Structures are given as C-alpha cells and as structure tokens.
Amino acid sequence: MEKMTEHLTERDLADFSAGRMEPRRIQAAGAHVRSCETCAAAVDRSRALARSAAELWDHATEESEATTPQRVPVRWWPAIAAAAAVLAVILGFLLFARKPQSTPTPEPPRATARPPKSAPPVPAPELSDGPYRIRISNSSPDVAYGRPEWDALAREAIIAGRITVAQIAALHSSGEQSRGSDDDPDTTTLLEPTGVVASQRPTFRWKGPAGAEYSVVIAREGSTPVAKSDRMRTTSWTPTHPLARGVTYEWQVTVFEKSGRTQIVPTPPAPRALFAILSSDATREVDEARNAGAHLIAALLYAREGARADALREASAFAAENPDSPIAAALQKSLAAQRGEPTRTNADQ
C-alpha cells in the first residue's frame, strides 16, 4: 500500500469527494488521516467529503446484500472495497476524535463560612418636645434645643428619670384643718393654691362640711387684705382682679356652719396658708418655652421656681406628645407624687 508522507491537500479532498481518487491513494489517505491530527481535522471540516463517504458506504452496503453479484461490474469492486475501507477508517477516527472525554463531575463549591448578618442598627428612640427632638442613648441624651441652659435642664432630668420641684421654706402648704381629721365630715381643709403659682388669678379650692357657707380673704403676707369674696355655698373661688407677681400672699377661709358656728381656717396657732405668684422674669422665660411648644422645658422651668401644679400640667402635655415613652411617663409621675412640703429656702423669696 502506498504510504503518504505529506498532509492531505485541498485537491485530495476534492478528488475524493468527486470520486476521482485512486483506490490505493484512498487507502494511503485513510492510513494517514488515522495518524495525523491535522488532516483528521481537515476531513472533519469537509462536509462534501463526509457526504461522499456516506454515499460510497451506502452503495457498498447495497451491493454486498444483492443476490446477483453480476449486477455490479467487476472493475468497481476494488474501488468500492477501498472506499468502504477508508470510510471505516475515517469514520472510526472521527468517532474516536469526537468521543467526549470523560470529565470528572465538578465538585460543588464548598460553602464558605460567612459571617452572620448583623441586624440593622436600631435607631435610638426619640422624644418629641414640640419642634425639638431628644435622642435617647446609653451614654447620654442627645438634646438639641439650641440653648445650653435648656439642653442641660432636659439632659439632667432624663438621666435622673424625675423632675424635682423646688420647695420654698417660707411657703407652707395648705391643707391646715380647722379641727378633727380628714374622715370627719365637719373638717374644713384648704387645698390650693400652694407653693408658687403662675397665674395672677389662681383658683382657690377647699373642702368643708355640707350646707356651710364660705368666704375667702387674701392678704399680703403680714399685711392688710387685698381681696375678699362674698359669702357662697361653693367650695372654689377665683378673684376678679390679678394679684401682683413676685409677691407672697396668705389666705383664709371663713366657714359659716349651719349650726350658726363660725370658724376661720387655718385657725391659729396652725401655720398660715401661704402662696406666691411667679415672678415676671421667670414668667417670661417659661412663656418663651411654652410659645416654642417645648412642654418639657416649660415643666422644668416651672419646677425650678417651685410651681408644682404648672409643672405637672406641662409634663402631662409632654407625656401626651410621647404616649409610648416610659421616660415621659416617669417624669410626669414624679411630679404627681410630690406633695410640695417645704424643704429648703429660696433666696429669691
């Protein structure tokens, strides 16, 4: 058999496709293709060559199965046999070349340990004081009123968890009784005003025996009366004229019992019922906070001056503005729990 020493040329491929290649050349080409990767790739790319080889293979198969071999001229058998041989060689080589290489199944990627996802930071709780915001943190409240004095007041109260009312030693609380005990229906008790009040026309309240009539007298401390009510059956009264700011007053209730007996409450030697009207300077500062909508600051300023009832009103407004805040609730409760007993002297009074 002729042995090829050169690669298949385009002409070789064309001759084979057209049926012009000699059988010996076909056999040599088949042997060469089997050992030459370059020519095998060329054969693989030749679609026409593949069709020619397939036709020769089919034709050779049909002829070999015929019952009368005489139908095929003898001169064609060598060529058919050679074509079939080279076709088998080429197809075998192509099948071998195209056989997919077994590739190992890729291992699934190993799960790399990822750091646990940290929960998103929880925003610090905030308190609203009108247009101002107070952020509560573990270290210290972040207040931003824009005024150092207000910032310090709010920060101190929030850290302490309470609002402390300044008590004026010179002012005694009301509640001095004419006689008996709280359970005695004939007892008369003065309720308010006590301590310091913001209003220049505070409401006077007391409780006493049923069916009695009452009269209220207001006087400057140690001086003559400045206001007096008519006799009435109600247990509250508001003066018609404003009282002076920054002044301390005392008040008494005269009780006219149904039995005809008359009592003055408080009766000496019981302590006098004293109260003071908030000064003009303190009023301006508190009004500035109230006008700005800063209820907490107003409560703290009132408490600093000893005005417990007014401080409690503003603290209640602050708690209503922050209904879910335990801090706001605690500040309100701390004021409600204080009775206003004098504990220290206020140098301004």
Side-chain angles (χ1 to χ4, degrees):
M1 179 179 66
E2 180 182 355
K3 184 176 181 180
M4 290 188 60
T5 59
E6 299 177 354
H7 295 299
L8 290 175
T9 63
E10 293 294 335
R11 180 174 180 179
D12 292 332
L13 297 178
D15 289 344
F16 179 80
S17 299
R20 295 192 299 268
M21 183 177 286
E22 298 179 356
R24 287 183 301 175
R25 183 68 172 173
I26 291 175
Q27 292 178 356
H32 179 76
V33 167
R34 185 170 55 184
S35 60
C36 179
E37 293 183 1
T38 302
C39 293
V43 171
D44 187 26
R45 291 193 301 267
S46 177
R47 295 183 179 180
L49 179 61
R51 286 195 301 270
S52 299
E55 291 173 359
L56 288 173
W57 175 263
D58 292 341
H59 184 71
T61 302
E62 291 174 0
E63 292 299 328
S64 63
E65 292 177 354
T67 54
T68 55
Q70 289 79 3
R71 292 175 53 189
V72 181
V74 177
R75 66 179 182 272
W76 280 98
W77 276 108
I80 293 174
V86 76
L87 181 63
V89 172
I90 294 174
L91 292 181
F93 178 84
L94 294 180
L95 288 175
F96 175 79
R98 290 181 178 181
K99 182 179 180 180
Q101 299 295 325
S102 59
T103 57
T105 303
E107 295 182 2
R110 295 181 180 179
T112 57
R114 295 182 179 179
K117 291 183 178 180
S118 57
V122 178
E126 287 188 347
L127 295 175
S128 298
D129 193 16
Y132 306 102
R133 296 293 179 268
I134 303 172
R135 296 188 64 188
I136 306 302
S137 62
N138 294 331
S139 56
S140 177
D142 182 11
V143 294
Y145 287 99
R147 298 181 57 168
E149 182 185 8
W150 288 12
D151 292 348
L153 283 173
R155 186 179 296 108
E156 180 181 356
I158 292 172
I159 292 175
R162 61 180 285 108
I163 299 176
T164 302
V165 180
Q167 300 298 328
I168 312 304
L171 300 178
H172 291 267
S173 64
S174 62
E176 303 297 340
Q177 300 173 357
S178 61
R179 62 185 184 278
S181 64
D182 289 339
D183 297 331
D184 188 345
D186 293 331
T187 296
T188 298
T189 305
L190 306 188
L191 301 177
E192 60 181 6
T194 64
V196 178
V197 294
S199 174
Q200 292 180 267
R201 295 178 59 222
T203 296
F204 294 78
R205 295 177 56 249
W206 62 93
K207 65 179 181 178
E213 292 183 344
Y214 308 94
S215 177
V216 179
V217 175
I218 307 172
R220 283 179 178 262
E221 184 181 11
S223 182
T224 58
V226 295
K228 182 179 179 180
S229 73
D230 296 331
R231 286 179 61 163
M232 54 191 165
R233 292 186 179 275
T234 61
T235 55
S236 66
W237 172 73
T238 302
T240 56
H241 299 288
L243 302 176
R245 290 206 170 276
V247 176
T248 299
Y249 295 91
E250 62 178 301
W251 64 296
Q252 292 178 332
V253 174
T254 302
V255 184
F256 304 94
E257 299 181 6
K258 289 194 302 182
S259 64
R261 186 168 50 180
T262 302
Q263 295 287 331
I264 296 178
V265 182
T267 302
R272 294 173 299 168
L274 301 176
F275 69 95
I277 304 298
L278 190 67
S279 68
S280 298
D281 291 341
T283 299
R284 281 192 293 269
E285 189 173 6
V286 172
D287 286 347
E288 186 176 356
R290 294 182 62 195
N291 293 335
H295 296 294
L296 176 59
I297 298 301
L300 293 169
L301 293 174
Y302 275 136
R304 187 176 66 180
E305 299 297 328
R308 171 186 170 275
D310 298 287
L312 179 57
R313 183 187 66 246
E314 294 297 327
S316 299
F318 177 66
E321 190 176 6
N322 301 274
D324 299 325
S325 171
I327 295 177
L331 296 177
Q332 179 190 20
K333 291 179 181 179
S334 70
L335 281 172
Q338 297 177 62
R339 296 179 56 87
E341 296 297 333
T343 58
R344 69 178 178 86
T345 298
N346 189 325
D348 294 336
Q349 298 293 338

